[in-house]
Amino acid sequence: MTPHIEAQRGDYAETVLLPGDSERAQWMAETFLEVPRCVNRRRGALGFTGRFRGKPVSIQATGIGVSSFLIYAHELLDYHGVKTLIRTGTSGGLSQDVPLRGIVISSEARAEGAISGQVFGLYQPAGPDQALHALALRRAADLGIACSAGLTICSDVFHHPDGRARFDEPMALGALAVDMETSALYRIAAQFGARALSLLTVVDHIATGELTEYSERQALFTDMTRLALEVAAES
């Protein structure tokens, strides 16, 4: 066991999907995995292992933000020998070209600013495993799942005093969406020599002011979860 995960060695598959929300992790496991079993309940951060199209796959909730995310990602990579991490997260839309409820594949992630990206150089741009990225684009096309690929921004602060204005520069750079974990995902995967990919669903839109209802959010993640699992099964 690790300080934050009660699972034993071998309880996690080599490929792990990483939603933030434990309710989403449970929904994903119960909806899509064959014979899922719960391998972690510590601190309410639920983890599950099952099979998708015959391949072992795990799903582990990571909480909100870089600090929480890095705890779970580090312990999965360092202790449990995980080789591939696929984030299945929520995001705020920054581009008019990305609709509310749309799926974004993060081709490059940058921290919001130098102060918010201090953890082992998170301020520097970081990217996904290119083979996983290409596979996600192919499988999305095969499945008829509309998605956008491009730059995403990673922020440490949700309720920021500067409001929408803090995203003027990222939007001018063409950033598609903002979340709170992806730059950490790409950086820690590189540190451990692992593969990583971030898939994000737009649940609120900073550019347009649109919002989804929380009650629709599990069903809203169907396409993102299907895409992530198809990539997991073929990677």
Side-chain angles (χ1 to χ4, degrees), residues 29 39 110 129 162 173 203:
V39 296
R110 301 185 187 183
D129 178 89
D162 291 342
L173 290 172
V203 298

Side-chain angles (χ1 to χ4, degrees), residues 93-104 146-150 171 173-177 202 205-208 210:
L94 294 177
S95 171
Q96 297 277 4
D97 295 331
V98 177
L100 189 71
R101 303 179 181 86
I103 297 172
V104 173
C147 61
S148 304
M171 291 168 74
L173 290 172
L176 301 181
V202 176
H205 211 295
I206 293 151
T208 66
E210 298 172 285

Side-chain angles (χ1 to χ4, degrees), residues 19-21 61-69 72 87 156 158 180-181:
D21 184 1
T62 61
I64 299 174
V66 164
S67 297
S68 178
F69 178 89
Y72 292 99
R87 171 158 158 72
D156 284 347
F158 190 89
M180 301 183 73
E181 294 85 11

Side-chain angles (χ1 to χ4, degrees), residues 45-57:
L46 298 180
F48 300 86
T49 295
R51 290 180 177 271
F52 181 77
R53 292 207 281 113
K55 180 172 180 176
V57 178

Side-chain angles (χ1 to χ4, degrees), residues 71-156:
I71 288 171
Y72 292 99
H74 183 101
E75 293 179 15
L76 288 169
L77 294 166
D78 185 49
Y79 181 85
H80 290 283
V82 171
K83 305 299 184 185
T84 301
L85 299 175
I86 302 176
R87 171 158 158 72
T88 50
T90 59
S91 66
L94 294 177
S95 171
Q96 297 277 4
D97 295 331
V98 177
L100 189 71
R101 303 179 181 86
I103 297 172
V104 173
I105 301 174
S106 177
S107 305
E108 175 187 347
R110 301 185 187 183
E112 184 178 17
I115 294 175
S116 70
Q118 293 179 15
V119 183
F120 52 83
L122 287 177
Y123 189 54
Q124 301 301 316
D129 178 89
Q130 291 302 306
L132 289 179
H133 185 273
L135 176 58
L137 289 173
R138 291 197 303 271
R139 295 303 290 131
D142 294 341
L143 295 166
I145 296 175
C147 61
S148 304
L151 171 66
T152 63
I153 301 300
C154 190
S155 174
D156 284 347

Side-chain angles (χ1 to χ4, degrees), residues 212-232:
T212 59
E213 293 292 334
Y214 194 85
S215 60
E216 72 171 290
R217 288 194 179 182
Q218 303 302 23
L220 180 61
F221 301 131
T222 297
D223 282 348
M224 177 177 65
T225 304
R226 288 174 58 218
L227 178 57
L229 286 168
E230 289 290 339
V231 171

